Amino acid sequence: MQKNDGMNYAPVGTFNSVCKPGEFIFAAAALDHGHIYGMCNGLREAGGELKWVYDPDSAKVDKFVAKFPGVRVASSLEEILQDPEVKLVASAAIPCDRGPLGLKVMDSGKDYFTDKAPFTTLEQLEAARAKVAETKQKYAVYYSERLHVESSIYAEQLIKQGAIGRVLQVIGLGPHRISLSNRPDWFFEKEKFGGILCDIGSHQIEQFLQFTGAKDAKVVHSKVANYHYPQHPRFEDFGDATLVGDNGATGYFRVDWFTPDGLSTWGDGRMTILGTDGYIELRKYVDIAREQTSDHVYLVNGDGEQHFAVNGKVGFPYFGQLILDCLHRTEHAMTQEHAFKAAELCLIAQRDAMRITSN
C-alpha cells in the first residue's frame, strides 16, 4: 500500500470469499489510475477471479501483471468483451473516457465497475442511465473514501445503531498530496479530469448522501480555484461546496491538493457527522502527531466520549456485496440510483462553481 501516494493507494484486506471458485470471473481494462489495484484487490479478496488485463500501454500492463501474477494479457478490449466467462470489467480509465467505456462493457452483456469520478459531463451520465435501463447491466462506482476506509464503514454502522440520533450535517475534508512529478498530462487538463469537484469531490458527495440518508440534494453554492499552479491554467487545486438534502440535512466539504510533504500520508482526510444526539469524527488516514495508524473514530454522545481504532477490524464488505449483486441481480452493495445521484450532484457542483481569481 502506497501510504504517501494517493494515486496508487490500494488498501489490502483479508480474504473472505462470498462465492465458489470460478463462479465470479472479472477482468481489468484501462489502467490509467492506480485505483485499479485497490479495486482488483477488493474483488479478489471477496472471491473474484481476475482472468484478463488489457491496456494499450505495455508498461502499465507489465506493472499490473507483476502485482497479479497469472492474469492473462488480452490483445484488445474486444478479447475481454467477447469472453462469455467474464461477468464484470473493472476500469480506471482517464476520467473523460470512463463513461464511454462503460457503455461498451454493458453492451457486451457485462457489468461495469469504474473508478470515481464515473463521468465528466452530465451528457455521459444520461447516456449511462439509458444504457443501464436498456441492458439491465450494472454501472458500479468505486467511491473508495467510504467503501475502502474502515473508519467510514464503522461510522455507518454507528449511525444505523442510532448512536448519534438523526444525522443533521456532514462536514468533509479531502486534502490530497499532488506529487507533481508523478502526474500524467491528463491530470492537468480539465476536459479530461472533469474539475476538482467532479473528481475528488465525488467522494464527499457520495458520503453525504450515504450518512444522511438523503436521496437527492440541492447544491446551494460551490467554488473552485487554481491558487498555486499557473503553469497549468486549466487545473484546479481547491474546491468546496454546500448542499442541502431532500430530508433537510446539510453538508459542506472542501477538497484540495495542498497536503504538505511533512505529513506521513497522502492526505489528512477527516469527516465530522453531527446528529441530534451526538457526533462522530473520522480521522481516516492518520491521527496527526499522535498515531500514524489509520481509521480512528471518535464518538461523543449521551454515554460520554469514546475512541475506536478500527484499522484491520471492520473489513471491506462492499466488494463481496457487489459480487453477490452481480450474481443474483440484487442491489445490496449500492443502489444504481445512489451511484448515479452522487455523480450527478458532483457534476452540477462543478458546472455551477464560482471560479475564484487568485492574485
Side-chain angles (χ1 to χ4, degrees):
M1 188 189 308
Q2 293 291 326
K3 196 173 182 182
N4 289 322
D5 181 3
M7 186 166 181
N8 293 300
Y9 184 68
V12 175
T14 57
F15 280 84
N16 182 23
S17 180
V18 300
C19 57
K20 298 175 183 177
E23 188 177 9
F24 187 81
I25 293 174
F26 72 100
L31 313 178
D32 295 287
H33 197 292
H35 281 171
I36 191 65
Y37 292 93
M39 298 162 71
C40 291
N41 283 345
L43 290 172
R44 291 178 73 245
E45 289 162 3
E49 180 181 322
L50 177 57
K51 182 176 180 179
W52 293 105
V53 61
Y54 172 72
D55 191 280
D57 185 337
S58 61
K60 290 188 177 73
V61 172
D62 290 345
K63 179 183 175 184
F64 189 87
V65 172
K67 176 67 175 178
F68 300 108
V71 63
R72 301 185 198 178
V73 177
S75 60
S76 66
L77 176 64
E78 286 66 33
E79 188 171 6
I80 291 173
L81 299 184
Q82 291 170 8
D83 184 344
E85 287 191 335
V86 174
K87 297 186 181 298
L88 174 144
V89 176
S91 174
I94 295 172
C96 64
D97 296 334
R98 292 170 186 170
L101 177 56
L103 302 185
K104 291 182 181 179
V105 172
M106 290 187 289
D107 271 335
S108 75
K110 304 181 190 311
D111 294 321
Y112 182 57
F113 182 32
T114 181
D115 189 16
K116 66 76 214 162
F119 313 101
T120 53
T121 69
L122 287 165
E123 290 77 16
Q124 288 181 347
L125 168 61
E126 291 312 310
R129 278 184 164 138
K131 188 63 68 177
V132 166
E134 173 193 339
T135 64
K136 310 305 180 187
Q137 299 301 140
K138 295 184 181 295
Y139 195 110
V141 183
Y142 181 57
Y143 292 112
S144 58
E145 290 189 22
R146 180 174 67 85
L147 304 178
H148 233 158
V149 173
E150 288 180 287
S151 55
S152 296
I153 297 166
Y154 192 69
E156 186 177 356
Q157 294 173 0
L158 290 174
I159 291 168
K160 288 181 178 178
Q161 293 165 10
I164 60 170
R166 175 190 169 196
V167 175
L168 304 176
Q169 186 190 48
V170 174
I171 298 175
L173 303 178
H176 286 60
R177 176 173 288 131
I178 195 163
S179 302
L180 199 63
S181 62
N182 297 330
R183 297 292 175 175
D185 291 342
W186 62 258
F187 178 80
F188 301 101
E189 300 176 32
K190 187 173 179 181
E191 294 77 11
K192 293 185 177 179
F193 76 88
I196 194 169
L197 299 179
C198 170
D199 181 18
I200 52 179
S202 63
H203 289 298
Q204 302 295 328
I205 291 178
E206 190 277 331
Q207 289 172 99
F208 165 76
L209 293 175
Q210 185 69 21
F211 292 145
T212 64
K215 302 300 182 184
D216 199 356
K218 179 179 177 59
V219 179
V220 178
H221 187 68
S222 56
K223 303 187 293 293
V224 296
N226 182 357
Y227 284 117
H228 195 59
Y229 299 97
Q231 70 273 36
H232 300 292
R234 297 290 292 158
F235 185 60
E236 296 168 353
D237 56 23
F238 176 92
D240 70 2
T242 303
L243 298 92
V244 178
D246 57 0
N247 58 1
T250 68
Y252 169 82
F253 70 85
R254 185 202 80 217
V255 286
D256 66 77
W257 290 103
F258 290 111
T259 292
D261 289 342
L263 188 71
S264 60
T265 187
W266 55 267
D268 185 12
R270 297 195 181 203
M271 183 159 282
T272 300
I273 307 166
L274 175 67
T276 53
D277 301 328
Y279 63 92
I280 295 168
E281 183 186 347
L282 308 182
R283 302 180 189 179
K284 295 183 177 182
Y285 308 112
V286 65
D287 195 354
I288 56 168
R290 289 168 51 89
E291 295 284 346
Q292 290 192 6
T293 56
S294 60
D295 295 298
H296 293 270
V297 179
Y298 293 88
L299 169 65
V300 182
N301 60 14
D303 296 328
E305 307 167 6
Q306 298 179 74
H307 168 229
F308 306 94
V310 300
N311 180 253
K313 299 178 181 178
V314 179
F316 307 114
Y318 170 81
F319 300 94
Q321 293 168 352
L322 176 60
I323 288 174
L324 293 175
D325 282 345
C326 292
L327 291 174
H328 304 310
R329 314 317 294 170
T330 50
E331 276 197 329
H332 299 300
M334 181 186 297
T335 67
Q336 188 65 77
E337 182 52 36
H338 177 91
F340 281 163
K341 181 56 66 173
E344 177 186 345
L345 291 172
C346 77
L347 289 165
I348 291 172
Q350 184 70 55
R351 180 196 66 190
D352 296 345
M354 178 182 77
R355 185 170 182 93
I356 300 169
T357 301
S358 174
N359 296 323

